[in-house]
Amino acid sequence: MRFEAITWERLTDALAERVMDLKTADGGPWLRIGIDGAPAARPEELGRRVAETLRLRGRSVLAVSTEGFLRPASLRYEFGREDPDTYYDGWFDTGALWREVFGPLEPGGTGRVLPDLWDPATDRATRSPYQLLPESGVLVLYGPMLLGRWFPFDLTVHLRLSAPALRRRTGESARWTLPAFERYEREVGPGEAADVVVRVDDFRHPAWGRRPADDGL
């Protein structure tokens, strides 16, 4: 994959253009976009940028963070508060994401998506109402370690930090998660799995690359 320098504005516009022309892989009426990256890579920022740009172009968009689908603390901390394997396998409620986010957007689905399920601050259910995403609408899901879980994305973007940059940008209190991201690199290889990769070691000067087969972007 060849990388070239790009501004965040140009990157956002390019991704939005791609989405505007994109067809769903399953023939359904809803597009599903994944913005993958460690918290230190700020996937929420690009996710919100893309969502807003698509709205300005007339598309209905629902932006969802995986932070709203954390498991209860009793499950997250079952093996201690700083267990990287639990962080990798058990912090995020992938079953709920399938059921409440992806399931309603399958062909023949209702389009009624639950935007979040659990509030980690209160450790209680959010009780947020379902939101109806109209046909031709776009789901933008952002968060860490989204790839390799068989989520039915139509376009995936991975925000890549080198190992030294990831360590440097991860706060001391979260350094225990670093082995989980090392495992993610080994087992999933997000830089090879994603459709688009954005290098963000220096947030002022991102660079992006696309898979050779992706001629449309």
Side-chain angles (χ1 to χ4, degrees), residues 53-68:
T53 301
L54 287 169
R55 291 188 188 106
L56 292 173
R57 295 175 185 227
R59 296 294 289 269
S60 296
V61 183
L62 180 59
V64 174
S65 170
T66 58
E67 286 295 310

Side-chain angles (χ1 to χ4, degrees), residues 80-99:
R81 289 181 170 267
E82 298 186 354
D83 184 75
D85 287 327
T86 301
Y87 180 71
Y88 185 89
D89 290 317
W91 267 50
F92 298 95
D93 195 340
T94 55
L97 284 166
W98 274 104
R99 182 178 66 251

Side-chain angles (χ1 to χ4, degrees), residues 13-204:
D13 285 341
L15 292 173
E17 284 292 333
R18 173 60 171 158
V19 172
M20 294 296 289
D21 295 332
L22 196 61
K23 304 295 184 186
T24 60
D26 60 10
W30 296 283
L31 285 167
R32 296 142 303 188
I33 311 304
I35 309 291
D36 172 67
R42 306 176 193 170
E44 72 282 357
E45 293 186 14
L46 182 59
R48 290 167 184 161
R49 278 176 177 266
V50 170
E52 184 57 30
T53 301
L54 287 169
R55 291 188 188 106
L56 292 173
R57 295 175 185 227
R59 296 294 289 269
S60 296
V61 183
L62 180 59
V64 174
S65 170
T66 58
E67 286 295 310
F69 286 86
L70 290 175
R71 295 182 186 276
S74 60
L75 298 177
R76 298 200 310 274
Y77 302 142
E78 184 178 4
F79 299 102
R81 289 181 170 267
E82 298 186 354
D83 184 75
D85 287 327
T86 301
Y87 180 71
Y88 185 89
D89 290 317
W91 267 50
F92 298 95
D93 195 340
T94 55
L97 284 166
W98 274 104
R99 182 178 66 251
E100 304 291 359
V101 177
F102 290 107
L105 302 182
E106 293 177 349
T110 64
R112 293 178 69 250
V113 174
L114 191 66
D116 51 58
L117 179 64
W118 200 259
D119 184 341
T122 62
D123 200 34
R124 295 179 182 273
T126 59
R127 302 190 185 280
S128 296
Y130 284 86
Q131 296 188 23
L132 181 63
L133 187 62
E135 293 191 2
S136 81
V138 182
L139 167 74
V140 178
L141 179 67
Y142 53 85
M145 298 182 290
L146 291 179
L147 305 178
R149 301 186 185 275
W150 301 102
F151 289 146
F153 290 120
D154 300 297
L155 180 70
T156 52
V157 180
H158 173 62
L159 298 174
R160 186 168 188 78
L161 285 166
S162 65
L166 177 60
R167 176 169 291 277
R168 187 171 64 250
R169 294 184 180 278
T170 299
E172 188 66 36
S173 63
R175 292 275 174 88
W176 64 271
T177 65
L178 293 176
F181 290 104
E182 293 171 5
R183 180 180 167 189
Y184 185 53
E185 284 290 331
R186 281 196 317 271
E187 296 186 3
V188 176
E192 291 72 46
D195 299 307
V196 177
V197 178
V198 185
R199 288 180 174 170
V200 292
D201 281 10
D202 183 344
F203 277 99
R204 298 167 300 175

